[in-house]
Amino acid sequence: MTDRAYQKICVLGLGYVGLPTAAVFASRGVDVLGVDIDERAVALINDGKVHIVEPDLDILVKGAVAAGKLRAKLVPEKADAFIVAVPTPFTDGKKPDLSFVQKAIESVATVLKSGDVVIIESTCPVGTTDSASRWLAQARPELTFPHTDGDDADVQVAHSPERVLPGRVLIELVRNDRVVGGVSGTCAKRAAQLYRIAIEGDCHLTTARTAELVKLSENAYRDVNIAFANELSLVADKLGIDAWEAVRLANRHPRVNILNPGPGVGGHCIAVDPWFIVDSAPDETPLIRAARGVNDAKPVHVANAVRDASKRMNSTNIACLGLAYKADIDDLRESPSVDIVADLANSGDLNLVVVEPHCQALPDKLANLVGVSLANLETALADCDVVVLLTDHTAFRDLEPEAHETKTFIDTRGLWK
Ligand code: SAJ
């Protein structure tokens, strides 16, 4: 059911959050214009196709485009609401890079009219949504905005962070609760009214600044807890204890829920967002910073363990299973598995046979390194004496290390425990 206030919306940024969001609103009968700077993505979407891998997204986009409810363009058009879902990476100095958000907001400013709602879904440092309201006001001085005019403003500005898990985006987009933070109370109410067209979860209304911190806290919480598990795994290794067994048994306690140790933390969110908190309160965040350090150091620890095994086995033939940052996806961004293979390649004397069932070719970071090749599982197992499991893909689950007595297996994920 469309809400009469929202006949048409623009979604800026057609990535793994923006495109599913656009398609879900379109499937609810809203006229949706998706906007992206990537010409190839725009052309594919207008053809009813998708440029990212996410279960069922292709079907939803195809249907929405065929029904005339979803189109894509390089620039926005007039609409009733604008959802900004562009990336917010960090710079080399671990500072947030808001240039994509700022450019998207500037392009919205060119088509904005009184009564419109602008919502930022991109993860951003506290204060960004208030800044967006100021940026819009600078571009459109004849309109009023909530940072100066509060509930009486012509245009509403809000932050509602995306919280979906890659691999389950379409389910979580509709079912998860949403935090909706407004620069004013009216901003939050109007933004929630939009989400209720498509969202089954509850909308929790708050301020834009609180909503910004909520999102950052969620990912920092996970990072800190994974760091705890990773630190425990180093302790367990040193003491000759199976870390996954220790975690599993500790979790039998009714108030303990330790996460799983792994080769490090990848993806474009959990390894990045904690730095946005550290940047805004550096003196108050020793724990969050330390957790980042523990998780970032884990790939080096794994690479050293592989080099030790190679020496013990007197063999330089190493099978590396998995490159993606987590199981059963093709996403290699910030993946510790890629970093570990690159680190091992820098040793100079190893023959690294990589198996990644979700990729047809090695990523740029590995493609030109000496001694790294891509192979299937059978070839890698036949040719290598050390086997390191880096990503817990289902395709590796049935491999039985005990059936290969002459090889050394390093299981960084606890998949075969
Ligand atoms: N990991 C572990 N041990 C664990 C759990 C995860 O080592 O017990 C590793 C994974 O292997 C991976 C990394 O952490 O390398 C992150 O994976 P993830 O599944 O925890 O999270 P993401 O990055 O795919 O998605 C997260 C989600 N946030 C939370 O669960 C708090 C998702 O809900 C957010 O929408 C997303 O970040 C985002 O966009 O911010």
Side-chain angles (χ1 to χ4, degrees), residues 16-17 123 162-166 172 215 218-219 222 226 230 259-270 273 325-326 336 392 413:
Y16 93 101
V17 172
T123 305
E162 60 81 11
R163 305 161 104 185
V164 289
L165 198 69
E172 296 210 350
K215 165 68 188 195
E218 290 166 1
N219 282 352
R222 201 154 166 84
I226 296 169
N230 279 339
L259 291 178
N260 287 312
V265 169
H268 42 290
C269 309
I270 292 187
D273 299 353
Y325 83 86
K326 64 180 190 180
D392 44 348
R413 299 277 186 172

PDB file of all heavy atoms in Angstrom, residues 16-17 123 162-166 172 215 218-219 222 226 230 259-270 273 325-326 336 392 413, ligand 1:
ATOM      1  N   TYR A  16      24.598  -2.754  -2.141  1.00  0.00           N
ATOM      2  CA  TYR A  16      23.932  -3.899  -1.540  1.00  0.00           C
ATOM      3  C   TYR A  16      22.829  -3.503  -0.551  1.00  0.00           C
ATOM      4  O   TYR A  16      22.019  -4.322  -0.165  1.00  0.00           O
ATOM      5  CB  TYR A  16      24.956  -4.874  -0.939  1.00  0.00           C
ATOM      6  CG  TYR A  16      25.280  -4.670   0.512  1.00  0.00           C
ATOM      7  CD1 TYR A  16      24.716  -5.480   1.495  1.00  0.00           C
ATOM      8  CD2 TYR A  16      26.150  -3.660   0.907  1.00  0.00           C
ATOM      9  CE1 TYR A  16      25.003  -5.291   2.835  1.00  0.00           C
ATOM     10  CE2 TYR A  16      26.442  -3.464   2.227  1.00  0.00           C
ATOM     11  CZ  TYR A  16      25.865  -4.284   3.190  1.00  0.00           C
ATOM     12  OH  TYR A  16      26.147  -4.080   4.517  1.00  0.00           O
ATOM     13  N   VAL A  17      22.767  -2.230  -0.195  1.00  0.00           N
ATOM     14  CA  VAL A  17      21.644  -1.741   0.607  1.00  0.00           C
ATOM     15  C   VAL A  17      20.665  -0.951  -0.268  1.00  0.00           C
ATOM     16  O   VAL A  17      19.447  -1.184  -0.237  1.00  0.00           O
ATOM     17  CB  VAL A  17      22.137  -0.844   1.766  1.00  0.00           C
ATOM     18  CG1 VAL A  17      20.957  -0.188   2.479  1.00  0.00           C
ATOM     19  CG2 VAL A  17      22.953  -1.664   2.741  1.00  0.00           C
ATOM     20  N   THR A 123      26.085   4.530   7.023  1.00  0.00           N
ATOM     21  CA  THR A 123      26.653   4.602   8.371  1.00  0.00           C
ATOM     22  C   THR A 123      27.535   5.842   8.451  1.00  0.00           C
ATOM     23  O   THR A 123      28.407   6.029   7.602  1.00  0.00           O
ATOM     24  CB  THR A 123      27.512   3.349   8.628  1.00  0.00           C
ATOM     25  OG1 THR A 123      26.700   2.210   8.386  1.00  0.00           O
ATOM     26  CG2 THR A 123      28.047   3.327  10.041  1.00  0.00           C
ATOM     27  N   GLU A 162      20.974   1.430   7.955  1.00  0.00           N
ATOM     28  CA  GLU A 162      20.665   0.068   7.482  1.00  0.00           C
ATOM     29  C   GLU A 162      21.307  -0.904   8.467  1.00  0.00           C
ATOM     30  O   GLU A 162      22.348  -0.621   9.035  1.00  0.00           O
ATOM     31  CB  GLU A 162      21.182  -0.117   6.055  1.00  0.00           C
ATOM     32  CG  GLU A 162      22.687   0.069   5.869  1.00  0.00           C
ATOM     33  CD  GLU A 162      23.502  -1.146   6.245  1.00  0.00           C
ATOM     34  OE1 GLU A 162      22.892  -2.211   6.462  1.00  0.00           O
ATOM     35  OE2 GLU A 162      24.732  -1.020   6.327  1.00  0.00           O
ATOM     36  N   ARG A 163      20.665  -2.055   8.667  1.00  0.00           N
ATOM     37  CA  ARG A 163      21.185  -3.025   9.637  1.00  0.00           C
ATOM     38  C   ARG A 163      21.145  -4.432   9.082  1.00  0.00           C
ATOM     39  O   ARG A 163      21.073  -5.413   9.829  1.00  0.00           O
ATOM     40  CB  ARG A 163      20.345  -2.961  10.914  1.00  0.00           C
ATOM     41  CG  ARG A 163      20.271  -1.577  11.490  1.00  0.00           C
ATOM     42  CD  ARG A 163      19.114  -1.468  12.434  1.00  0.00           C
ATOM     43  NE  ARG A 163      19.561  -1.477  13.809  1.00  0.00           N
ATOM     44  CZ  ARG A 163      18.730  -1.485  14.843  1.00  0.00           C
ATOM     45  NH1 ARG A 163      17.432  -1.503  14.652  1.00  0.00           N
ATOM     46  NH2 ARG A 163      19.196  -1.480  16.075  1.00  0.00           N
ATOM     47  N   VAL A 164      21.156  -4.542   7.755  1.00  0.00           N
ATOM     48  CA  VAL A 164      20.952  -5.859   7.144  1.00  0.00           C
ATOM     49  C   VAL A 164      22.249  -6.651   7.028  1.00  0.00           C
ATOM     50  O   VAL A 164      23.322  -6.087   6.848  1.00  0.00           O
ATOM     51  CB  VAL A 164      20.311  -5.720   5.750  1.00  0.00           C
ATOM     52  CG1 VAL A 164      18.872  -5.285   5.887  1.00  0.00           C
ATOM     53  CG2 VAL A 164      21.097  -4.738   4.883  1.00  0.00           C
ATOM     54  N   LEU A 165      22.116  -7.967   7.119  1.00  0.00           N
ATOM     55  CA  LEU A 165      23.267  -8.854   7.031  1.00  0.00           C
ATOM     56  C   LEU A 165      23.418  -9.344   5.590  1.00  0.00           C
ATOM     57  O   LEU A 165      22.478  -9.925   5.039  1.00  0.00           O
ATOM     58  CB  LEU A 165      23.058 -10.047   7.965  1.00  0.00           C
ATOM     59  CG  LEU A 165      24.295 -10.844   8.327  1.00  0.00           C
ATOM     60  CD1 LEU A 165      25.217 -10.024   9.227  1.00  0.00           C
ATOM     61  CD2 LEU A 165      23.919 -12.133   9.028  1.00  0.00           C
ATOM     62  N   PRO A 166      24.587  -9.099   4.955  1.00  0.00           N
ATOM     63  CA  PRO A 166      24.785  -9.610   3.603  1.00  0.00           C
ATOM     64  C   PRO A 166      24.440 -11.109   3.542  1.00  0.00           C
ATOM     65  O   PRO A 166      24.806 -11.873   4.434  1.00  0.00           O
ATOM     66  CB  PRO A 166      26.277  -9.372   3.358  1.00  0.00           C
ATOM     67  CG  PRO A 166      26.595  -8.186   4.216  1.00  0.00           C
ATOM     68  CD  PRO A 166      25.739  -8.328   5.441  1.00  0.00           C
ATOM     69  N   GLU A 172      16.012  -9.361   6.039  1.00  0.00           N
ATOM     70  CA  GLU A 172      16.258  -8.462   7.170  1.00  0.00           C
ATOM     71  C   GLU A 172      15.757  -7.041   6.893  1.00  0.00           C
ATOM     72  O   GLU A 172      15.341  -6.340   7.811  1.00  0.00           O
ATOM     73  CB  GLU A 172      17.749  -8.470   7.537  1.00  0.00           C
ATOM     74  CG  GLU A 172      18.209  -9.839   8.029  1.00  0.00           C
ATOM     75  CD  GLU A 172      19.343  -9.773   9.035  1.00  0.00           C
ATOM     76  OE1 GLU A 172      19.920  -8.688   9.231  1.00  0.00           O
ATOM     77  OE2 GLU A 172      19.644 -10.827   9.637  1.00  0.00           O
ATOM     78  N   LYS A 215      23.946   2.841  15.441  1.00  0.00           N
ATOM     79  CA  LYS A 215      24.497   2.002  14.372  1.00  0.00           C
ATOM     80  C   LYS A 215      25.981   1.705  14.600  1.00  0.00           C
ATOM     81  O   LYS A 215      26.442   0.562  14.480  1.00  0.00           O
ATOM     82  CB  LYS A 215      24.300   2.700  13.018  1.00  0.00           C
ATOM     83  CG  LYS A 215      25.100   2.145  11.889  1.00  0.00           C
ATOM     84  CD  LYS A 215      24.646   0.757  11.486  1.00  0.00           C
ATOM     85  CE  LYS A 215      25.611   0.159  10.485  1.00  0.00           C
ATOM     86  NZ  LYS A 215      25.071  -1.000   9.810  1.00  0.00           N
ATOM     87  N   GLU A 218      26.441  -0.847  17.366  1.00  0.00           N
ATOM     88  CA  GLU A 218      26.122  -2.238  17.009  1.00  0.00           C
ATOM     89  C   GLU A 218      27.342  -2.931  16.415  1.00  0.00           C
ATOM     90  O   GLU A 218      27.689  -4.049  16.803  1.00  0.00           O
ATOM     91  CB  GLU A 218      24.968  -2.264  15.996  1.00  0.00           C
ATOM     92  CG  GLU A 218      23.643  -1.854  16.593  1.00  0.00           C
ATOM     93  CD  GLU A 218      22.576  -1.544  15.557  1.00  0.00           C
ATOM     94  OE1 GLU A 218      22.841  -1.658  14.341  1.00  0.00           O
ATOM     95  OE2 GLU A 218      21.469  -1.175  15.960  1.00  0.00           O
ATOM     96  N   ASN A 219      27.996  -2.245  15.489  1.00  0.00           N
ATOM     97  CA  ASN A 219      29.142  -2.894  14.842  1.00  0.00           C
ATOM     98  C   ASN A 219      30.381  -2.901  15.735  1.00  0.00           C
ATOM     99  O   ASN A 219      31.170  -3.844  15.689  1.00  0.00           O
ATOM    100  CB  ASN A 219      29.408  -2.242  13.479  1.00  0.00           C
ATOM    101  CG  ASN A 219      28.408  -2.742  12.437  1.00  0.00           C
ATOM    102  OD1 ASN A 219      27.631  -3.668  12.709  1.00  0.00           O
ATOM    103  ND2 ASN A 219      28.402  -2.143  11.276  1.00  0.00           N
ATOM    104  N   ARG A 222      30.034  -5.823  18.093  1.00  0.00           N
ATOM    105  CA  ARG A 222      30.401  -7.098  17.476  1.00  0.00           C
ATOM    106  C   ARG A 222      31.925  -7.201  17.335  1.00  0.00           C
ATOM    107  O   ARG A 222      32.509  -8.247  17.589  1.00  0.00           O
ATOM    108  CB  ARG A 222      29.704  -7.210  16.123  1.00  0.00           C
ATOM    109  CG  ARG A 222      29.590  -8.634  15.628  1.00  0.00           C
ATOM    110  CD  ARG A 222      28.415  -8.808  14.701  1.00  0.00           C
ATOM    111  NE  ARG A 222      28.491 -10.075  13.969  1.00  0.00           N
ATOM    112  CZ  ARG A 222      28.072 -11.238  14.457  1.00  0.00           C
ATOM    113  NH1 ARG A 222      27.539 -11.311  15.656  1.00  0.00           N
ATOM    114  NH2 ARG A 222      28.183 -12.345  13.739  1.00  0.00           N
ATOM    115  N   ILE A 226      34.189 -10.092  18.947  1.00  0.00           N
ATOM    116  CA  ILE A 226      35.007 -10.989  18.112  1.00  0.00           C
ATOM    117  C   ILE A 226      36.467 -10.895  18.574  1.00  0.00           C
ATOM    118  O   ILE A 226      37.184 -11.899  18.635  1.00  0.00           O
ATOM    119  CB  ILE A 226      34.870 -10.647  16.614  1.00  0.00           C
ATOM    120  CG1 ILE A 226      33.431 -10.881  16.140  1.00  0.00           C
ATOM    121  CG2 ILE A 226      35.827 -11.504  15.775  1.00  0.00           C
ATOM    122  CD1 ILE A 226      33.124 -10.332  14.748  1.00  0.00           C
ATOM    123  N   ASN A 230      38.960 -13.792  19.528  1.00  0.00           N
ATOM    124  CA  ASN A 230      40.260 -13.953  18.859  1.00  0.00           C
ATOM    125  C   ASN A 230      41.406 -13.948  19.864  1.00  0.00           C
ATOM    126  O   ASN A 230      42.371 -14.711  19.740  1.00  0.00           O
ATOM    127  CB  ASN A 230      40.452 -12.846  17.811  1.00  0.00           C
ATOM    128  CG  ASN A 230      39.726 -13.181  16.511  1.00  0.00           C
ATOM    129  OD1 ASN A 230      39.431 -14.348  16.246  1.00  0.00           O
ATOM    130  ND2 ASN A 230      39.421 -12.173  15.712  1.00  0.00           N
ATOM    131  N   LEU A 259      31.616 -15.124  20.974  1.00  0.00           N
ATOM    132  CA  LEU A 259      31.549 -15.338  19.531  1.00  0.00           C
ATOM    133  C   LEU A 259      32.675 -16.289  19.093  1.00  0.00           C
ATOM    134  O   LEU A 259      33.440 -16.770  19.924  1.00  0.00           O
ATOM    135  CB  LEU A 259      31.632 -14.002  18.801  1.00  0.00           C
ATOM    136  CG  LEU A 259      30.396 -13.108  18.980  1.00  0.00           C
ATOM    137  CD1 LEU A 259      30.577 -11.781  18.256  1.00  0.00           C
ATOM    138  CD2 LEU A 259      29.133 -13.799  18.493  1.00  0.00           C
ATOM    139  N   ASN A 260      32.753 -16.541  17.806  1.00  0.00           N
ATOM    140  CA  ASN A 260      33.731 -17.518  17.309  1.00  0.00           C
ATOM    141  C   ASN A 260      35.039 -16.865  16.909  1.00  0.00           C
ATOM    142  O   ASN A 260      35.038 -15.876  16.180  1.00  0.00           O
ATOM    143  CB  ASN A 260      33.164 -18.240  16.092  1.00  0.00           C
ATOM    144  CG  ASN A 260      32.090 -19.204  16.493  1.00  0.00           C
ATOM    145  OD1 ASN A 260      32.269 -19.985  17.422  1.00  0.00           O
ATOM    146  ND2 ASN A 260      30.964 -19.137  15.820  1.00  0.00           N
ATOM    147  N   PRO A 261      36.166 -17.457  17.331  1.00  0.00           N
ATOM    148  CA  PRO A 261      37.449 -16.970  16.821  1.00  0.00           C
ATOM    149  C   PRO A 261      37.511 -17.221  15.319  1.00  0.00           C
ATOM    150  O   PRO A 261      36.843 -18.109  14.805  1.00  0.00           O
ATOM    151  CB  PRO A 261      38.486 -17.849  17.534  1.00  0.00           C
ATOM    152  CG  PRO A 261      37.752 -18.586  18.602  1.00  0.00           C
ATOM    153  CD  PRO A 261      36.308 -18.617  18.217  1.00  0.00           C
ATOM    154  N   GLY A 262      38.302 -16.432  14.633  1.00  0.00           N
ATOM    155  CA  GLY A 262      38.455 -16.601  13.185  1.00  0.00           C
ATOM    156  C   GLY A 262      39.796 -16.039  12.751  1.00  0.00           C
ATOM    157  O   GLY A 262      40.630 -15.686  13.585  1.00  0.00           O
ATOM    158  N   PRO A 263      39.996 -15.890  11.438  1.00  0.00           N
ATOM    159  CA  PRO A 263      41.290 -15.396  10.942  1.00  0.00           C
ATOM    160  C   PRO A 263      41.416 -13.876  11.002  1.00  0.00           C
ATOM    161  O   PRO A 263      42.428 -13.320  10.572  1.00  0.00           O
ATOM    162  CB  PRO A 263      41.291 -15.868   9.488  1.00  0.00           C
ATOM    163  CG  PRO A 263      39.843 -15.893   9.115  1.00  0.00           C
ATOM    164  CD  PRO A 263      39.082 -16.267  10.353  1.00  0.00           C
ATOM    165  N   GLY A 264      40.383 -13.189  11.498  1.00  0.00           N
ATOM    166  CA  GLY A 264      40.378 -11.720  11.520  1.00  0.00           C
ATOM    167  C   GLY A 264      38.982 -11.253  11.154  1.00  0.00           C
ATOM    168  O   GLY A 264      38.100 -12.078  10.942  1.00  0.00           O
ATOM    169  N   VAL A 265      38.792  -9.953  11.086  1.00  0.00           N
ATOM    170  CA  VAL A 265      37.453  -9.423  10.785  1.00  0.00           C
ATOM    171  C   VAL A 265      37.473  -8.729   9.429  1.00  0.00           C
ATOM    172  O   VAL A 265      38.282  -7.847   9.187  1.00  0.00           O
ATOM    173  CB  VAL A 265      36.997  -8.442  11.879  1.00  0.00           C
ATOM    174  CG1 VAL A 265      35.750  -7.688  11.450  1.00  0.00           C
ATOM    175  CG2 VAL A 265      36.718  -9.206  13.169  1.00  0.00           C
ATOM    176  N   GLY A 266      36.564  -9.159   8.558  1.00  0.00           N
ATOM    177  CA  GLY A 266      36.498  -8.555   7.224  1.00  0.00           C
ATOM    178  C   GLY A 266      35.180  -7.865   6.983  1.00  0.00           C
ATOM    179  O   GLY A 266      34.399  -7.637   7.906  1.00  0.00           O
ATOM    180  N   GLY A 267      34.943  -7.538   5.708  1.00  0.00           N
ATOM    181  CA  GLY A 267      33.720  -6.825   5.350  1.00  0.00           C
ATOM    182  C   GLY A 267      33.955  -5.332   5.450  1.00  0.00           C
ATOM    183  O   GLY A 267      34.986  -4.882   5.950  1.00  0.00           O
ATOM    184  N   HIS A 268      32.980  -4.586   4.979  1.00  0.00           N
ATOM    185  CA  HIS A 268      33.153  -3.141   4.857  1.00  0.00           C
ATOM    186  C   HIS A 268      32.519  -2.408   6.023  1.00  0.00           C
ATOM    187  O   HIS A 268      32.388  -1.198   5.989  1.00  0.00           O
ATOM    188  CB  HIS A 268      32.547  -2.699   3.542  1.00  0.00           C
ATOM    189  CG  HIS A 268      31.236  -3.393   3.306  1.00  0.00           C
ATOM    190  ND1 HIS A 268      31.185  -4.735   3.032  1.00  0.00           N
ATOM    191  CD2 HIS A 268      29.980  -2.969   3.388  1.00  0.00           C
ATOM    192  CE1 HIS A 268      29.923  -5.105   2.940  1.00  0.00           C
ATOM    193  NE2 HIS A 268      29.170  -4.055   3.156  1.00  0.00           N
ATOM    194  N   CYS A 269      32.089  -3.133   7.072  1.00  0.00           N
ATOM    195  CA  CYS A 269      31.350  -2.475   8.159  1.00  0.00           C
ATOM    196  C   CYS A 269      32.059  -2.619   9.493  1.00  0.00           C
ATOM    197  O   CYS A 269      32.477  -1.638  10.092  1.00  0.00           O
ATOM    198  CB  CYS A 269      29.964  -3.090   8.283  1.00  0.00           C
ATOM    199  SG  CYS A 269      29.113  -3.155   6.728  1.00  0.00           S
ATOM    200  N   ILE A 270      32.200  -3.869   9.946  1.00  0.00           N
ATOM    201  CA  ILE A 270      32.662  -4.084  11.325  1.00  0.00           C
ATOM    202  C   ILE A 270      34.113  -3.651  11.505  1.00  0.00           C
ATOM    203  O   ILE A 270      34.491  -3.167  12.566  1.00  0.00           O
ATOM    204  CB  ILE A 270      32.413  -5.555  11.710  1.00  0.00           C
ATOM    205  CG1 ILE A 270      30.885  -5.755  11.780  1.00  0.00           C
ATOM    206  CG2 ILE A 270      33.076  -5.892  13.035  1.00  0.00           C
ATOM    207  CD1 ILE A 270      30.445  -7.076  12.295  1.00  0.00           C
ATOM    208  N   ASP A 273      33.567   0.740  10.995  1.00  0.00           N
ATOM    209  CA  ASP A 273      32.720   1.612  11.817  1.00  0.00           C
ATOM    210  C   ASP A 273      33.292   1.951  13.193  1.00  0.00           C
ATOM    211  O   ASP A 273      33.113   3.086  13.665  1.00  0.00           O
ATOM    212  CB  ASP A 273      31.321   1.000  11.973  1.00  0.00           C
ATOM    213  CG  ASP A 273      30.627   0.834  10.630  1.00  0.00           C
ATOM    214  OD1 ASP A 273      31.173   1.320   9.623  1.00  0.00           O
ATOM    215  OD2 ASP A 273      29.551   0.220  10.590  1.00  0.00           O
ATOM    216  N   TYR A 325      35.206 -12.808   2.802  1.00  0.00           N
ATOM    217  CA  TYR A 325      35.380 -12.423   4.205  1.00  0.00           C
ATOM    218  C   TYR A 325      34.519 -13.233   5.158  1.00  0.00           C
ATOM    219  O   TYR A 325      34.784 -13.292   6.346  1.00  0.00           O
ATOM    220  CB  TYR A 325      35.192 -10.911   4.396  1.00  0.00           C
ATOM    221  CG  TYR A 325      33.774 -10.399   4.546  1.00  0.00           C
ATOM    222  CD1 TYR A 325      33.145 -10.374   5.785  1.00  0.00           C
ATOM    223  CD2 TYR A 325      33.077  -9.917   3.453  1.00  0.00           C
ATOM    224  CE1 TYR A 325      31.856  -9.878   5.925  1.00  0.00           C
ATOM    225  CE2 TYR A 325      31.796  -9.409   3.574  1.00  0.00           C
ATOM    226  CZ  TYR A 325      31.186  -9.403   4.818  1.00  0.00           C
ATOM    227  OH  TYR A 325      29.917  -8.923   4.948  1.00  0.00           O
ATOM    228  N   LYS A 326      33.468 -13.901   4.592  1.00  0.00           N
ATOM    229  CA  LYS A 326      32.734 -14.856   5.411  1.00  0.00           C
ATOM    230  C   LYS A 326      32.091 -15.911   4.518  1.00  0.00           C
ATOM    231  O   LYS A 326      32.194 -15.828   3.290  1.00  0.00           O
ATOM    232  CB  LYS A 326      31.730 -14.166   6.324  1.00  0.00           C
ATOM    233  CG  LYS A 326      30.612 -13.436   5.637  1.00  0.00           C
ATOM    234  CD  LYS A 326      29.708 -12.818   6.707  1.00  0.00           C
ATOM    235  CE  LYS A 326      28.446 -12.271   6.097  1.00  0.00           C
ATOM    236  NZ  LYS A 326      27.562 -11.680   7.112  1.00  0.00           N
ATOM    237  N   PRO A 336      40.195 -10.827   5.600  1.00  0.00           N
ATOM    238  CA  PRO A 336      41.461 -11.264   6.189  1.00  0.00           C
ATOM    239  C   PRO A 336      42.068 -12.421   5.411  1.00  0.00           C
ATOM    240  O   PRO A 336      43.291 -12.578   5.382  1.00  0.00           O
ATOM    241  CB  PRO A 336      41.080 -11.689   7.616  1.00  0.00           C
ATOM    242  CG  PRO A 336      39.599 -11.822   7.642  1.00  0.00           C
ATOM    243  CD  PRO A 336      39.054 -10.992   6.524  1.00  0.00           C
ATOM    244  N   ASP A 392      34.912 -20.324   5.910  1.00  0.00           N
ATOM    245  CA  ASP A 392      34.150 -21.552   6.210  1.00  0.00           C
ATOM    246  C   ASP A 392      33.007 -21.800   5.228  1.00  0.00           C
ATOM    247  O   ASP A 392      31.850 -21.998   5.630  1.00  0.00           O
ATOM    248  CB  ASP A 392      33.633 -21.516   7.654  1.00  0.00           C
ATOM    249  CG  ASP A 392      33.038 -20.170   8.051  1.00  0.00           C
ATOM    250  OD1 ASP A 392      33.216 -19.175   7.314  1.00  0.00           O
ATOM    251  OD2 ASP A 392      32.382 -20.100   9.117  1.00  0.00           O
ATOM    252  N   ARG A 413      38.756 -21.382  11.352  1.00  0.00           N
ATOM    253  CA  ARG A 413      37.338 -21.086  11.609  1.00  0.00           C
ATOM    254  C   ARG A 413      36.647 -22.089  12.524  1.00  0.00           C
ATOM    255  O   ARG A 413      35.466 -21.924  12.830  1.00  0.00           O
ATOM    256  CB  ARG A 413      36.563 -21.079  10.294  1.00  0.00           C
ATOM    257  CG  ARG A 413      37.015 -20.049   9.295  1.00  0.00           C
ATOM    258  CD  ARG A 413      36.386 -18.723   9.601  1.00  0.00           C
ATOM    259  NE  ARG A 413      36.695 -17.755   8.557  1.00  0.00           N
ATOM    260  CZ  ARG A 413      36.142 -16.553   8.483  1.00  0.00           C
ATOM    261  NH1 ARG A 413      35.246 -16.181   9.376  1.00  0.00           N
ATOM    262  NH2 ARG A 413      36.486 -15.710   7.548  1.00  0.00           N
TER     263      ARG A 413
HETATM  264  N1  SAJ B   1      33.273 -13.012  12.493  1.00  0.00           N
HETATM  265  C1  SAJ B   1      34.092 -13.746  13.338  1.00  0.00           C
HETATM  266  N2  SAJ B   1      33.533 -14.390  14.398  1.00  0.00           N
HETATM  267  C2  SAJ B   1      32.187 -14.340  14.645  1.00  0.00           C
HETATM  268  C3  SAJ B   1      31.363 -13.585  13.785  1.00  0.00           C
HETATM  269  C4  SAJ B   1      31.929 -12.925  12.707  1.00  0.00           C
HETATM  270  O1  SAJ B   1      35.311 -13.822  13.160  1.00  0.00           O
HETATM  271  O2  SAJ B   1      31.747 -14.985  15.613  1.00  0.00           O
HETATM  272  C5  SAJ B   1      33.855 -12.289  11.343  1.00  0.00           C
HETATM  273  C6  SAJ B   1      33.315 -12.758   9.992  1.00  0.00           C
HETATM  274  O3  SAJ B   1      33.971 -13.901   9.536  1.00  0.00           O
HETATM  275  C7  SAJ B   1      33.592 -11.548   9.130  1.00  0.00           C
HETATM  276  C8  SAJ B   1      33.374 -10.380  10.092  1.00  0.00           C
HETATM  277  O4  SAJ B   1      33.471 -10.931  11.394  1.00  0.00           O
HETATM  278  O5  SAJ B   1      34.927 -11.520   8.678  1.00  0.00           O
HETATM  279  C9  SAJ B   1      32.054  -9.651   9.925  1.00  0.00           C
HETATM  280  O6  SAJ B   1      30.997 -10.546   9.614  1.00  0.00           O
HETATM  281  P1  SAJ B   1      29.533 -10.400  10.246  1.00  0.00           P
HETATM  282  O7  SAJ B   1      28.694 -11.494   9.700  1.00  0.00           O
HETATM  283  O8  SAJ B   1      29.625 -10.324  11.728  1.00  0.00           O
HETATM  284  O9  SAJ B   1      29.026  -8.976   9.774  1.00  0.00           O
HETATM  285  P2  SAJ B   1      28.890  -8.174   8.367  1.00  0.00           P
HETATM  286  O10 SAJ B   1      30.041  -7.230   8.254  1.00  0.00           O
HETATM  287  O11 SAJ B   1      28.635  -9.091   7.215  1.00  0.00           O
HETATM  288  O12 SAJ B   1      27.552  -7.332   8.661  1.00  0.00           O
HETATM  289  C10 SAJ B   1      27.518  -6.467   9.798  1.00  0.00           C
HETATM  290  C11 SAJ B   1      26.227  -6.744  10.581  1.00  0.00           C
HETATM  291  N3  SAJ B   1      26.307  -6.122  11.909  1.00  0.00           N
HETATM  292  C12 SAJ B   1      26.091  -6.827  13.042  1.00  0.00           C
HETATM  293  O13 SAJ B   1      25.845  -7.995  13.062  1.00  0.00           O
HETATM  294  C13 SAJ B   1      26.158  -6.030  14.321  1.00  0.00           C
HETATM  295  C14 SAJ B   1      25.031  -6.236   9.797  1.00  0.00           C
HETATM  296  O14 SAJ B   1      23.845  -6.347  10.573  1.00  0.00           O
HETATM  297  C15 SAJ B   1      25.251  -4.753   9.406  1.00  0.00           C
HETATM  298  O15 SAJ B   1      24.177  -4.289   8.615  1.00  0.00           O
HETATM  299  C16 SAJ B   1      26.509  -4.664   8.587  1.00  0.00           C
HETATM  300  O16 SAJ B   1      27.597  -5.130   9.390  1.00  0.00           O
HETATM  301  C17 SAJ B   1      26.703  -3.218   8.179  1.00  0.00           C
HETATM  302  O17 SAJ B   1      26.425  -2.885   7.014  1.00  0.00           O
HETATM  303  O18 SAJ B   1      27.052  -2.401   9.029  1.00  0.00           O
END
